[in-house]
Amino acid sequence: RRAAGELRDRVAARLDRTVREPLARPFHSYAFGLLRREAVRAGEPLPRLLSGPEQDLVVRDLLAGDRAARPGGGWPERLRAAIATRGFAAELRDLLSRAAERGVGPGDLAAHGRLEGRDDWAAAARFLAQYQQVTALRQPPAYDPAELVRAAVDLLHADRALLAEERAARAVVLVDEYQDCDPAQEELLELLAGGGRELVVVGDPDQSIYGFRGAEVAAIRAFPDRFLQADGSAAPVVALGTSRRAGPVLVEASRRVAQRLGGPVGHRRIAADPSAPDGEVEVHVLRSPSQEAAFVAQQLRTAHLVEGIPWSAMAVLVRGAAGVPVVRRA
């Protein structure tokens, strides 16, 4: 959202005028705006977005109801000790989100469970049907983030006049960070800009980091064949050959990592911007999170006090939020 906001400001400044609607927005923002606008047109209650804590509460309430209604809540024996925990509810919520992104309904999930011999998926399918019934009855209608894009896709499939209107309103579509799209977003993009229309996507499959949120790196790899040109030929792919972010030392180090990754390799053949500083890479193996945090803090202090680098010019990248408190204290 922050990146979209910054881009909107830059576009508006370049145009030197205001625009009727945001020209840059995340997929979820577009989907929510479409659902709200169509609700206004139809005179229906405006939908709202379910927050993460709200969704967690719904899931945990339904699980509690299941436990009260039947032994073990209808879940397999091996899971019954877990269903009262926050962790189980979080895992279940994640499964519901992945199912929504892929258009997998309760019947589909149950079928997958039978095919794969997964009794937990069959139980989750029953829960998904219950969850969908509860959320569908809410007034105003409420969607969680994963359901938003799927709901917009379903609306456009059902209303072809609306789809034609949306396509006509967007002569050119550009998508950034396409490697982090999920299947629902891919389907929405195909509805809006498929069929040989003016469409440019930018991304790097090696930088796909949102698999835990349902992103499918296969989307960017399959783009040329899924989004054909108007004459039916595959979409052209342009691999940018110069790194604007890193000097020769950093580029060489990153290439040593990249060569061990799977998938196509053409986009990995990049050269450093000759005007960029060389940079340097160090690797330190430490024995514990606290030792690591102390080492990082010492590096920052040395850079500031000895080399005169301002605090604002330094950053620490962590793998996940769990590492932040330890580093912050150090």
Side-chain angles (χ1 to χ4, degrees):
R1 288 194 297 270
R2 286 194 299 270
E6 292 171 5
L7 184 55
R8 282 197 296 271
D9 291 343
R10 291 168 64 180
V11 169
R14 185 74 63 87
L15 292 174
D16 197 27
R17 62 182 175 85
T18 57
V19 293
R20 186 171 58 87
E21 65 173 303
L23 293 174
R25 60 200 310 181
F27 277 100
H28 294 91
S29 172
Y30 167 77
F32 193 45
L34 179 66
L35 293 171
R36 285 176 63 90
R37 192 189 73 206
E38 293 310 300
V40 170
R41 283 183 176 181
E44 298 172 350
L46 295 181
R48 69 183 190 86
L49 183 63
L50 271 179
S51 67
E54 275 186 292
Q55 192 184 6
D56 281 338
L57 185 60
V58 171
V59 170
R60 291 169 61 194
D61 282 349
L62 290 176
L63 286 172
D66 281 350
R67 294 198 308 275
R70 62 176 75 91
W75 291 89
E77 179 69 34
R78 67 184 186 281
L79 296 177
R80 291 178 183 177
I83 61 176
T85 65
R86 291 176 181 268
F88 184 84
E91 291 284 345
L92 184 55
R93 174 189 165 197
D94 190 54
L95 176 62
L96 301 184
S97 296
R98 302 294 81 79
E101 290 157 357
R102 284 150 182 78
V104 174
D108 302 314
L109 186 55
H112 286 313
R114 289 191 296 271
L115 185 65
E116 301 292 337
R118 294 288 299 266
D119 55 354
D120 52 341
W121 287 3
R126 291 193 297 272
F127 185 91
L128 175 57
Q130 187 181 8
Y131 177 84
Q132 288 180 340
Q133 289 165 3
V134 168
T135 54
L137 291 172
R138 289 190 166 208
Q139 290 297 331
Y143 299 96
D144 64 51
E147 292 172 327
L148 266 182
V149 177
R150 181 58 58 186
V153 167
D154 292 343
L155 176 62
L156 292 173
H157 273 304
D159 190 337
R160 306 309 288 186
L162 174 62
L163 174 59
E165 178 185 326
E166 289 298 293
R167 286 168 68 92
R170 290 160 184 83
V172 181
V173 176
L174 302 101
V175 184
D176 194 15
E177 306 290 4
Y178 191 67
Q179 75 278 354
D180 291 324
C181 283
D182 63 44
Q185 294 167 356
E186 187 181 20
E187 189 172 348
L188 177 59
L189 183 64
E190 189 170 28
L191 283 169
L192 293 174
R197 293 170 62 81
E198 295 286 351
L199 170 65
V200 178
V201 306
V202 182
D204 180 356
D206 297 345
Q207 295 185 42
S208 180
I209 58 171
Y210 287 110
F212 70 98
R213 289 184 180 171
E216 292 262 354
V217 70
I220 191 169
R221 291 174 178 162
F223 180 87
D225 298 317
R226 180 162 185 174
F227 290 85
L228 301 176
Q229 298 189 87
D231 62 4
S233 60
V237 177
V238 178
L240 304 181
T242 302
S243 169
R244 306 292 176 184
R245 292 176 172 174
V249 173
L250 296 182
V251 167
E252 183 184 356
S254 68
R255 295 311 87 195
R256 289 200 297 270
V257 175
Q259 71 184 4
R260 300 200 294 273
L261 300 175
V265 299
H267 64 283
R268 295 177 185 144
R269 302 188 185 101
I270 60 174
D273 182 345
S275 64
D278 286 346
E280 61 181 271
V281 178
E282 295 181 9
V283 177
H284 299 267
V285 180
L286 300 142
R287 296 181 178 179
S288 68
S290 58
Q291 188 181 52
E292 180 183 60
F295 174 80
V296 169
Q298 179 60 35
Q299 294 293 305
L300 297 176
R301 282 193 293 269
T302 300
H304 181 65
L305 298 174
V306 177
E307 301 175 33
I309 299 175
W311 297 114
S312 59
M314 294 184 276
V316 180
L317 304 185
V318 296
R319 181 71 180 99
V324 172
V326 177
V327 175
R328 182 178 287 140
R329 283 195 299 272

